[in-house]
């Protein structure tokens, strides 16, 4: 398993949301000195521009597919968002807000059955978990460890959260069974702001920040994490999509905003 370069995003940015597969992916939102509404579609070869978000923002949670994506929460020009938007392959439509405003949210699932967890509200890392049914958000049992900038994979009733930050970098991994979170073996390298892909029994976490920005890649087999070949470019705030063995990473930040 190795990383290879593909065509760059049209707009360099960190903290974009992501949905889809390695050959059919959607990137949305982000930050490059200002909050962005930018949406792009990747067909396996190149990126093309799509209609943008209604609310420009970055580091929100994401779920779904390129023709049925969901974006929730995120950072605004000033403050934090609980906005939820759904994409139908052409345009974004506003949905009912999350109950808790926050940025650096973990997310997974589908457009009509999404899960959001963790995040940051301006004063502390959060353990908040909410489920979306296509119409509204409902509070669920909290993460065991409150944290922001957390990775996520899976569905609304079988989800994995990993990494994050609560004043220090975390290796924490938890599994959600639709009711509650349970602790699992942690990452080998504690970090946050990485990109994620895959499922709870075949997850991938790449890039992020540990002591410094990193290109580290780890794979999870349902029990433990193991190192894989690192990305070619060191960066944090990475967007991600795809599966453990066919992942896509895009955007991020190292010494500058990345495409």
């Amino acid at each position: 398993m190795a990383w290879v370069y593909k065509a760059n995003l049209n707009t360099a940015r960190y903290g974009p949301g992501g949905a889809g597969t390695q050959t059919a992916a959607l990137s949305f939102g982000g930050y490059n000195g200002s909050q962005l509404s930018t949406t792009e579609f990747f067909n396996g070869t190149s990126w093309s521009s799509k209609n943008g978000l209604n609310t420009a923002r970055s580091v929100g949670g994401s779920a779904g597919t390129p023709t049925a994506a969901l974006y929730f929460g995120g950072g605004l020009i000033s403050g934090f968002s609980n906005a939820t938007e759904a994409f139908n392959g052409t345009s974004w439509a506003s949905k009912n807000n999350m109950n808790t405003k926050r940025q650096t949210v973990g997310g997974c699932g589908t457009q009509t059955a999404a899960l959001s967890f963790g995040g940051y509200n301006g004063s502390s890392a959060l353990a908040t978990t909410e489920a979306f049914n296509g119409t509204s958000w409902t509070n669920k049992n909290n993460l065991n460890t409150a944290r922001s900038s957390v990775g996520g994979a899976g569905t609304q009733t079988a989800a994995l959260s990993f990494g994050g930050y609560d004043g220090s970098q975390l290796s924490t991994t938890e599994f959600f069974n639709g009711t509650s979170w349970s602790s699992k073996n942690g990452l080998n390298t504690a970090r946050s702001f990485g990109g994620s892909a895959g499922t709870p029994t075949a997850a991938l976490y790449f890039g992020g920040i540990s002591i410094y920005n990193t290109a580290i890649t780890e794979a999870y087999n349902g029990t433990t994490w193991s190192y894989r070949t690192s990305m070619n470019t060191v960066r944090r705030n990475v967007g991600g999509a795809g599966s453990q063995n066919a992942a896509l990473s895009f955007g991020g930040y190292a010494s500058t905003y990345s495409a």
Side-chain angles (χ1 to χ4, degrees), residues 12 14 22-23 38 44 56 58 83 94 102 110 118 165 169 180 183 211-212 228 232 245-246 252 254:
Y14 81 45
Q22 189 182 77
T23 56
T38 307
S58 60
S94 296
R102 47 201 159 124
T110 67
Y165 184 80
Q169 301 295 341
S180 58
S183 297
I211 299 172
Y212 306 103
R228 295 291 188 261
N232 296 302
N245 294 320

Side-chain angles (χ1 to χ4, degrees), residues 9 13 16-19 25-29 38-42 47 92 250:
L9 290 163
R13 50 202 149 124
L26 198 70
S27 169
F28 35 93
T38 307
T39 301
E40 298 184 40
F41 174 74
F42 184 69
W47 294 91
W92 292 91
F250 42 88

Side-chain angles (χ1 to χ4, degrees), residues 60-83:
S62 50
T65 69
T67 56
L70 197 72
Y71 195 42
F72 36 93
L76 302 169
I77 294 171
S78 176
F80 308 97
S81 177
N82 59 357

Side-chain angles (χ1 to χ4, degrees), residues 33-48:
S34 61
Q35 300 292 347
L36 300 172
S37 62
T38 307
T39 301
E40 298 184 40
F41 174 74
F42 184 69
N43 63 5
T45 303
S46 60
W47 294 91
S48 58

